């Protein structure tokens, strides 16, 4: 069923690219205008990215790199010259670069808008709705970076406070940070966000504005979220009305987008009535997204159903990294998983394929701009693969399960399938695979189940079944072979099972794992646990990866 025509009067964006921290922080000043443009847009020319979503400043929640005339958002250069805390040298570079560009009469945001237009991209702006990059929760919310503002540090009365966070005492991570975040029950707090969106869209020739409700996902005192949901809808409605007025003056539409948690239930529990926003067409794009580590089992089907009869586009976000129970081969005595690890191209493809299978209108690349800086890994080549489900159909993929993770139980699922202890009774793991491996089995090169098992010994034996059929182990432990002592608690041990003769089907697949035999000396003291679980699918070239054949020519061109 085709969706009704929307306000934006164009086809949905294939990919939206989110730039939530600008590169002025990472280049020594002064930056030439050409360098600013190349740094931010060099990734994107000729890719399927159709929209660029730009921050107003570094991790902007309270500062901008232009002087706001209508709000108490602070001007970064003004804070810098006033002697506000920098936090680290990135903010010195950012402020100096902006200051020197403005001294030449160059507005960095206007420069970026023009570069978007030159490349044929729709330019959007974004705001972290309750950002935390500026404060230190260990020091009672003290501002320690240049990204703060007087509206934050001078208005402690607007914070959620320790009393408002007390109900989350059983969840230490949220309980620790929530007191120092602003309470959106206050009119002033919501007005700041609404008014900066309207001012920016009047000032710059942009396609729209995105409210990022995952930076950071908490807005009210414990227990008051649902009672205050109407206030958030009022803010959205007022922003919508203001953008429509700007659109009437400009003669073309100005969109409103929101980035929200992975589930509708989590979004609603947080005090955001997204169903009402969609039903009333208050927003134009809903981005369902992981918070920080990639939600590796993200299922967007409920979102697609929610927006099916509406002109509102549903986009699915893919993060740059996930929470791994291994160190990805980077072994140090003090470097203990779980750790953030970059998503491989094969992992990204699997996520995108599932989103397309559910029927999303497009994808949203979040944090990809920083992957090379953070992980020394460039994932941008995946952009060319993920926009089209037909291109994805027989590309190599890796499906993963999600680890339990509890930073924001107010809106995120906490208990997940792994880690899980292996015992005599089978444990069950469910994989959602969208590849149809029976359609052309001759094109399938390999299918493997990869289980990272902590504390496994050569005296242990596992029984692993896929959809009821036992699958063979490809790499049994061998006597006399060294096992590592780092890279996890006792060394990273992957057990790899061949699924070629019993491949996973399209849809849900059930893997069962049990201990057929345990090491009698270790069993009572040291548990066996599955820390990571993946299904790897490889296709024959040319859709699958090229593998140079053995022989005299091997390595000549590598």
């Amino acid at each position: 069923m085709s969706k009704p025509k929307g306000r934006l009067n164009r086809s949905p964006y294939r990919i939206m690219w989110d730039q939530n921290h600008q590169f002025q922080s990472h280049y020594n000043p002064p930056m030439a205008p050409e360098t600013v443009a190349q740094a931010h847009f060099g990734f994107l020319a000729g890719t399927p990215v159709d929209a660029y979503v730009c921050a107003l400043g570094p991790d902007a929640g309270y500062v901008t790199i232009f002087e706001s005339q209508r709000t108490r958002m602070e001007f970064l250069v003004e804070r810098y010259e006033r002697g506000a805390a920098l936090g680290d040298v990135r903010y010195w570079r950012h402020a100096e670069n902006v200051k020197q560009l403005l001294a030449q009469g160059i507005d960095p945001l206007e420069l970026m808008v023009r570069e978007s237009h030159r490349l044929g991209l729709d330019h959007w702006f974004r705001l972290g709705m309750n950002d935390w990059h500026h404060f230190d929760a260990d020091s009672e919310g003290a501002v320690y970076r240049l990204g703060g503002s007087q509206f934050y540090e001078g208005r402690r009365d607007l914070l959620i406070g320790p009393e408002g966070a007390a109900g989350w005492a059983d969840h230490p991570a949220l309980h620790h940070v929530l007191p120092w975040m602003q309470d959106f029950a206050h009119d002033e707090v919501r007005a700041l966000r609404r008014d900066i969106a309207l001012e920016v869209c009047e000032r710059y020739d942009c396609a729209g504005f995105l409210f990022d409700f995952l930076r950071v996902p908490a807005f009210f005192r414990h227990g008051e979220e649902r009672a205050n949901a109407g206030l958030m809808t009022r803010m959205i409605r007022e922003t919508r009305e203001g953008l429509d007025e700007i659109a009437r003056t400009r003669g073309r539409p100005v969109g409103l987008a929101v980035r929200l948690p992975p589930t509708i239930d989590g979004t609603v529990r947080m005090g955001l009535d997204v169903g009402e926003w969609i039903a009333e067409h208050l927003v134009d794009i809903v981005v369902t997204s992981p918070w920080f580590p990639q939600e590796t089992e993200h299922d967007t089907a409920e979102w697609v159903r929610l927006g099916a009869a509406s002109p509102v586009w549903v986009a699915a976000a893919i993060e740059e990294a996930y929470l791994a129970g291994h160190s990805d081969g980077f072994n140090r005595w003090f470097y203990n998983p779980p750790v953030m690890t970059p998503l491989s191209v094969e992992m990204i493809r699997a996520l995108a394929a599932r989103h397309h299978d559910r029927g999303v209108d497009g994808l949203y690349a979040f944090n990809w701009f920083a992957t090379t800086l953070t992980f020394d890994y460039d994932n941008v080549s995946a952009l060319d693969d993920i926009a089209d489900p037909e291109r994805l159909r027989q590309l190599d993929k890796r499906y993963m399960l999600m680890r339990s993770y509890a930073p924001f139980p107010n809106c995120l699922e906490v208990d997940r399938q792994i880690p899980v202890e292996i015992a005599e009774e089978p444990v069950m793991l469910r994989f959602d695979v969208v590849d149809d491996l029976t359609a052309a089995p001759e094109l399938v090169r390999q299918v493997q189940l990869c289980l990272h098992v902590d504390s496994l010994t050569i005296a242990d034996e596992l029984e692993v079944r896929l959809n009821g059929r036992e699958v063979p182990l490809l790499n049994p432990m061998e006597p006399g072979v060294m096992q590592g002592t780092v890279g996890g608690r006792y060394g990273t041990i992957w057990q790899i099972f061949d699924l070629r003769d019993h491949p996973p089907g399209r849809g849900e697949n059930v893997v069962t794992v049990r201990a057929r035999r345990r090491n009698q000396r270790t069993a009572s003291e040291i548990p066996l646990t599955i820390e990571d679980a993946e299904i790897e699918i490889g296709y024959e070239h040319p859709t699958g990866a090229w593998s140079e054949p053995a022989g005299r020519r091997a390595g000549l061109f590598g």
Side-chain angles (χ1 to χ4, degrees):
M1 182 179 69
S2 60
K3 295 169 73 75
K5 185 178 180 181
R7 184 181 286 108
L8 297 180
N9 197 30
R10 58 154 293 155
S11 59
Y13 301 129
R14 293 170 294 174
I15 301 175
M16 301 177 74
W17 176 276
D18 187 296
Q19 182 91 32
N20 56 74
H21 190 117
Q22 293 141 356
F23 278 115
Q24 283 90 337
S25 291
H26 300 287
Y27 282 74
N28 292 325
M31 288 180 78
E34 296 79 9
T35 304
V36 174
Q38 192 271 348
H40 292 91
F41 294 90
F43 303 100
L44 308 179
T47 71
V49 171
D50 295 321
Y52 184 86
V53 187
C54 175
L56 306 177
D59 302 310
Y62 293 92
V63 295
T64 61
I65 57 173
F66 71 94
E67 292 189 68
S68 173
Q69 303 300 312
R70 300 188 197 171
T71 75
R72 295 187 64 187
M73 294 283 285
E74 284 201 32
F75 179 35
L76 185 76
V77 174
E78 198 171 89
R79 279 182 64 78
Y80 170 66
E81 293 184 328
R82 194 169 67 237
L86 292 170
D88 61 62
V89 296
R90 292 179 305 153
Y91 291 88
W92 173 81
R93 285 193 290 261
H94 207 121
E96 273 295 326
N97 273 314
V98 171
K99 177 182 175 181
Q100 293 189 40
L101 284 165
L102 291 171
Q104 301 173 57
I106 298 169
D107 179 340
L109 293 182
E110 178 62 31
L111 188 159
M112 294 168 74
V113 170
R114 291 181 180 178
E115 185 66 5
S116 283
H117 293 170
R118 188 185 74 81
L119 293 174
L121 306 178
D122 276 4
H123 193 99
W124 289 64
F125 287 101
R126 69 181 310 282
L127 181 69
M129 294 299 276
N130 215 356
D131 199 76
W132 65 356
H133 287 86
H134 59 290
F135 72 76
D136 181 6
D138 291 332
S139 301
E140 298 188 336
V143 173
Y144 78 110
R145 281 178 174 166
L146 199 59
S149 74
Q150 280 299 114
F151 184 73
Y152 176 84
E153 57 193 326
R155 295 297 308 275
R156 307 288 277 190
D157 58 308
L158 299 180
L159 299 180
I160 289 171
E163 183 180 332
W168 293 108
D170 292 339
H171 299 276
L174 180 58
H175 184 254
H176 186 55
V177 300
L178 189 61
W180 320 117
M181 298 171 68
Q182 288 197 329
D183 185 351
F184 275 60
H186 297 286
D187 291 343
E188 292 173 80
V189 171
R190 300 190 311 279
L192 178 78
R193 279 73 177 181
R194 176 200 66 210
D195 293 345
I196 193 62
L198 298 179
E199 181 178 3
V200 166
C201 289
E202 277 194 0
R203 179 184 178 107
Y204 297 101
D205 185 12
C206 62
F209 200 94
L210 179 136
F211 284 154
D212 188 345
F213 287 101
L214 284 173
R215 281 292 179 91
V216 173
F219 302 96
F220 297 110
R221 294 162 61 94
H222 180 270
E224 297 181 5
E225 296 90 348
R226 291 305 310 147
N228 285 318
L231 298 178
M232 299 300 257
T233 297
R234 183 193 305 169
M235 178 187 68
I236 293 291
R237 183 174 287 111
E238 290 170 352
T239 306
R240 171 78 277 151
E241 292 169 353
L243 293 176
D244 286 346
E245 183 58 37
I246 295 170
R248 281 190 287 272
T249 301
R250 190 172 291 171
R252 54 185 173 77
V254 181
L256 179 60
V258 288
R259 190 168 81 101
L260 301 172
T263 67
I264 295 172
D265 175 70
T267 302
V268 171
R269 283 192 286 116
M270 200 164 56
L272 306 178
D273 280 335
V274 62
E276 186 175 344
W277 304 353
I278 290 176
E280 297 186 27
H281 196 187
L282 299 178
V283 297
D284 301 291
I285 306 173
V286 167
V287 181
T288 170
S289 176
W291 170 64
F292 185 42
Q294 173 62 41
E295 165 57 74
T296 57
E297 298 177 49
H298 192 185
D299 188 342
T300 54
E302 62 173 353
W303 290 97
V304 172
R305 289 193 296 269
L306 184 65
S310 163
V312 176
W313 303 340
V314 173
I318 300 176
E319 254 279 3
E320 64 173 343
Y322 72 107
L323 197 64
H326 60 89
S327 59
D328 199 26
F330 183 81
N331 295 330
R332 296 292 185 273
W333 186 258
F334 54 85
Y335 189 65
N336 295 315
V339 293
M340 288 292 285
T341 303
L343 290 165
S344 70
V345 169
E346 292 79 12
M347 294 171 178
I348 292 169
R349 290 172 183 159
L351 291 162
R354 184 185 298 133
H355 293 323
H356 285 300
D357 180 72
R358 300 306 192 261
V360 297
D361 296 298
L363 301 175
Y364 192 96
F366 190 83
N367 269 343
W368 289 32
F369 71 93
T371 308
T372 52
L373 293 170
T374 308
F375 296 106
D376 292 325
Y377 176 75
D378 191 352
N379 58 1
V380 173
S381 64
L383 290 173
D384 290 328
D385 293 340
I386 62 177
D388 189 317
E390 178 58 28
R391 171 147 177 83
L392 277 167
R393 189 164 61 91
Q394 289 171 342
L395 291 178
D396 297 350
K397 302 180 188 70
R398 187 177 284 265
Y399 293 90
M400 303 180 294
L401 299 189
M402 182 73 181
R403 291 179 59 87
S404 297
Y405 186 55
F408 285 92
N410 60 329
C411 66
L412 302 176
E413 295 180 66
V414 174
D415 297 322
R416 310 308 296 266
Q417 296 193 68
I418 54 173
V420 64
E421 184 174 346
I422 303 171
E424 187 176 342
E425 290 299 311
V427 295
M428 190 176 297
L429 306 175
R430 300 180 185 276
F431 284 86
D432 182 2
V433 174
V434 301
D435 290 61
D436 183 359
L437 300 180
T438 63
E442 64 278 5
L443 300 183
V444 180
R445 177 170 46 86
Q446 67 177 27
V447 192
Q448 297 178 342
L449 170 67
C450 306
L451 299 178
H452 168 205
V453 184
D454 255 353
S455 307
L456 188 70
T457 75
I458 197 169
D460 296 299
E461 183 182 356
L462 305 182
E463 176 188 287
V464 178
R465 294 177 178 271
L466 173 65
N467 298 328
R469 303 183 70 171
E470 187 167 358
V471 292
L473 177 65
L474 290 175
N475 61 333
M477 288 185 172
E478 298 178 4
V481 174
M482 177 183 286
Q483 289 298 146
T485 57
V486 294
R489 287 177 294 175
Y490 307 109
T492 302
I493 300 169
W494 287 92
Q495 295 280 273
I496 302 174
F497 299 86
D498 187 3
L499 307 183
R500 183 66 187 266
D501 292 336
H502 309 297
R506 179 172 161 79
E508 183 179 88
N509 295 268
V510 177
V511 171
T512 57
V513 183
R514 76 177 190 91
R516 178 178 277 149
R517 183 181 70 244
R518 277 302 324 260
N519 181 327
Q520 293 303 304
R521 183 61 182 85
T522 64
S524 62
E525 178 184 351
I526 304 171
L528 291 180
T529 59
I530 298 174
E531 298 292 326
D532 300 275
E534 305 172 358
I535 288 180
E536 178 188 49
I537 299 173
Y539 291 93
E540 296 289 355
H541 185 74
T543 56
W546 168 252
S547 179
E548 187 177 86
R552 294 181 62 188
R553 295 177 69 253
L556 289 178
F557 305 102

